[in-house]
Amino acid sequence: MTETAPPRVRAEIDLAALRANVRTLRAHAPTAAFMAVVKADAYGHGMLPCARAALEAGATWVGTATPEEALALRAAGIDAPVMCWLWTPGGPWREAVEADLDISVSGLWALREVTAAARAATRTARVQLKADTGLGRNGCMPDDWPELIAAALRAEAEGLVRVTGLWSHFACADEPGHPSIQAQLDVFREMVAHAEEQGVRPEVRHIANSPATLTRPDTHFDLVRPGIAMYGISPSPEVGAPQDFGLRPVMTLTASLASVKHAPAQHGVSYGHHYTTPGATTLGLIPAGYGDGVPRHASGTGPVLVDGKLRTVAGRIAMDQFVVDLGGDEPGIGSQAVLFGPGDRGEPTVEDWARAAGTIGYEIVTRIGSRVPRVHMNVDLNVDLNVDMNVDMNVDMSVDVNKAPNSTDD
Ligand SMILES: *Cc1c(COP(=O)(O)O)cnc(C)c1O
């Protein structure tokens, strides 16, 4: 792809927005450290640029699901504390110990793996013990906790591990007021208290994801772990819209119109002919489909901004393309269609697509496929000065600011 060719489809990632979101979230949790959750390629936004931008904006930890993600951060030179929590037997335990990752341990089998790796590496492993306080997913159940704590303390006495954290995860923090939130918090306090009575001295105790960070200050403890909110997306409609919390969407997904043509009335559109033109009209072809992560469940419902007007997906979303009814308008072939973005220009948002597809914003951005190039904007931290002074200042002006110091070659 040359620089001037209009892209078939692309995802612009506004790192100035991401940094602003990190600062805003830190203001919501001023006494807690900030772990930037960048699992699943930073929810589709690109793991490394997002991790770097979050650290520039004051995050002091980075969190991933898998050890492979965490090791990739280390390989790229990120030396901040990195924690990963989704382990399986035979995983890269030794590599993780040697990379000084914080390794989450939810049971005795995992503690055995990590102590064996520490022995082999002749290093002390950093271990965070995970409590299942009610999520019913990963984590150590309260009944098994005393045994895990005792075993971890023995391993600590041998110098094999250092218990750096005690932590848990909420089931329903995205439903403010749900009784399980308080119940989990009570259990967490008890499990932490037991561990500390036995002699565990963690660096950090933590349980808050994005919705808890935004709505429950009493869950912040020593550290918060926001993911979705950092990308400017709401955890759920119940929690509120991103702008209610001063958060700005980071990803904008655009495509170039690949065809505009006239069609007569009663013309079937796309596979299955689930849409038929109500009258003579024009049809626009958007060259992006479920192979790019555009959810097929949004067939007939997904919104797109084309030439300043909101249109709806006509008929089925195919693997590589879908059609919109342009109602007689004739925007130029190659003109930009915006599937979602911050919403400033009247374009749909991630939340609109989540509603259209019957899913959550998390899934919309995370599924954007590897065929879609991520274009990271405002990489340079200096643009924030301008963005903070005038939020209306657009990307192009920020890019000009970036270019100014080294524009000697033109
Ligand atoms: C994904 C994840 C987070 C971040 O959750 P958000 O709802 O995106 O803020 C935090 N902690 C754990 C354990 C996770 O898996």
Side-chain angles (χ1 to χ4, degrees), residues 37 39 43 85 130 137 167 169 209-211 225-229 362:
V37 177
K39 62 189 180 187
Y43 297 42
W85 46 76
K130 180 169 195 190
R137 203 172 68 177
W167 75 293
H169 195 42
N209 55 1
S210 293
R225 299 190 310 269
I228 197 74
Y362 296 74

Side-chain angles (χ1 to χ4, degrees), residues 35-39 43 64-65 83 85 130 135 137 167-170 173-174 206-213 224-231 233 235 362:
M35 179 186 288
V37 177
V38 297
K39 62 189 180 187
Y43 297 42
T64 70
M83 174 178 175
W85 46 76
K130 180 169 195 190
L135 173 59
R137 203 172 68 177
W167 75 293
S168 190
H169 195 42
F170 282 119
D174 58 346
H206 50 106
I207 189 168
N209 55 1
S210 293
T213 301
V224 294
R225 299 190 310 269
I228 197 74
M230 196 167 69
Y231 306 104
I233 298 165
Y362 296 74

Side-chain angles (χ1 to χ4, degrees), residues 30-340:
T31 60
F34 190 103
M35 179 186 288
V37 177
V38 297
K39 62 189 180 187
D41 202 26
Y43 297 42
H45 294 66
M47 182 172 73
L48 284 173
C50 290
R52 289 195 184 105
L55 289 166
E56 284 167 354
T60 49
W61 287 73
V62 185
T64 70
T66 72
E68 288 78 11
E69 292 168 326
L71 288 168
L73 290 168
R74 279 283 184 268
I78 288 180
D79 55 11
V82 175
M83 174 178 175
C84 54
W85 46 76
L86 195 56
W87 285 90
T88 43
W93 300 91
R94 178 153 178 193
E95 293 89 329
V97 172
E98 287 173 347
D100 217 21
L101 301 180
D102 276 56
I103 297 169
S104 179
V105 163
S106 289
L108 289 174
W109 72 267
L111 190 64
R112 278 193 290 273
E113 290 258 21
V114 80
T115 50
R119 233 182 233 112
T122 61
R123 277 183 82 125
T124 304
R126 292 174 60 88
V127 164
Q128 298 216 16
L129 301 175
K130 180 169 195 190
D132 187 341
T133 55
L135 173 59
R137 203 172 68 177
N138 211 348
C140 180
M141 296 296 267
D143 283 354
D144 302 325
W145 189 244
E147 192 183 10
L148 181 63
I149 295 297
L153 284 167
R154 284 194 300 275
E156 199 166 56
E158 283 183 69
L160 293 171
V161 309
R162 155 118 186 81
V163 180
T164 54
L166 299 171
W167 75 293
S168 190
H169 195 42
F170 282 119
C172 308
D174 58 346
E175 297 175 50
H178 193 288
S180 71
I181 300 170
Q182 189 59 47
Q184 282 196 258
L185 202 48
D186 294 343
V187 173
F188 186 57
R189 287 188 200 284
E190 281 169 32
M191 292 173 85
V192 167
H194 170 83
E196 292 182 341
E197 278 158 23
Q198 299 302 304
V200 174
R201 295 288 172 267
E203 294 169 15
V204 284
R205 298 155 294 185
H206 50 106
I207 189 168
N209 55 1
S210 293
T213 301
L214 292 170
T215 66
R216 289 289 298 246
D218 55 339
T219 66
H220 293 172
F221 292 91
D222 304 310
L223 178 151
V224 294
R225 299 190 310 269
I228 197 74
M230 196 167 69
Y231 306 104
I233 298 165
S234 168
S236 67
E238 294 93 315
V239 168
Q243 60 269 24
D244 296 343
F245 299 96
L247 299 167
R248 182 169 174 80
V250 171
M251 186 188 291
T252 297
L253 186 66
T254 62
S256 300
L257 267 183
S259 159
V260 176
K261 65 186 182 190
H262 289 270
Q266 299 304 309
H267 200 294
V269 174
S270 192
Y271 293 134
H273 280 179
H274 292 282
Y275 183 82
T276 316
T277 55
T281 189
T282 45
L283 298 174
L285 181 64
I286 312 283
Y290 60 79
D292 303 294
V294 179
R296 187 172 176 276
H297 272 86
S299 293
T301 58
V304 192
L305 187 74
V306 185
D307 202 28
K309 289 186 188 164
L310 270 182
R311 306 293 185 183
T312 302
V313 176
R316 284 228 179 110
I317 292 170
M319 185 181 292
D320 315 301
Q321 39 194 313
F322 65 86
V323 175
V324 290
D325 188 332
L326 297 170
D329 288 359
E330 297 183 47
I333 295 176
S335 57
Q336 193 186 62
V338 188
L339 282 78
F340 57 78

